[in-house]
Amino acid sequence: YLEYLAAGGTLVTATHPVENITDYPALPALLAQIRQLPRAVLVDAEAMARKEGNPAGVNVVMVGAASHWLPVQEATLRRNIERRFAARGQGVVDANLRLFDAGRQAAAGLQVVIMI
């Protein structure tokens, strides 16, 4: 779907995507193609989530990484993470905010540089 990326658009993706279709492109070739884009951010969200002790938190890492380019303020995203996980306790909220921050930090300043 790279042809749908707007001119001047930034692609933010995980290095280990969920291959949820039978004809998913070969990952090495796909990543090589993404690395050719002028504005791409590749994040090893899976490793980052595991490092934080929450392997299920890949999506929160990716929201953090993409947050630099989303038309939503960081504070709004943080509040929504807090609301989403509040029922599970402050420890879960804090863990997910750390994942969000890790994703933001991974993509900080990478508006043109490719991160691998």
Side-chain angles (χ1 to χ4, degrees):
Y1 297 100
L2 291 177
E3 66 269 16
Y4 295 110
L5 183 63
T10 300
L11 177 72
V12 180
T13 190
T15 56
H16 303 289
V18 175
E19 297 182 23
N20 57 357
I21 56 175
T22 56
D23 60 344
Y24 203 89
L27 189 55
L30 178 60
L31 293 176
Q33 191 174 8
I34 290 170
R35 288 184 183 104
Q36 298 302 311
L37 296 172
R39 297 167 56 105
V41 179
L42 290 143
V43 178
D44 191 347
E46 187 177 296
M48 294 172 77
R50 275 195 316 270
K51 180 180 177 186
E52 290 293 328
N54 187 354
V58 170
N59 287 339
V60 179
V61 172
M62 291 309 300
V63 169
S67 67
H68 297 281
W69 296 273
L70 295 174
V72 180
Q73 292 182 358
E74 176 187 355
T76 301
L77 293 168
R78 294 179 72 80
R79 277 193 308 275
N80 281 288
I81 290 168
E82 290 169 357
R83 287 181 193 142
R84 168 66 179 91
F85 295 103
R88 295 176 64 194
Q90 191 59 45
V92 174
V93 170
D94 292 343
N96 279 281
L97 289 172
R98 283 192 303 274
L99 291 171
F100 175 81
D101 290 338
R104 273 190 65 80
Q105 183 177 0
L110 297 175
Q111 298 195 6
V112 178
V113 177
I114 296 175
M115 183 191 136
I116 301 171

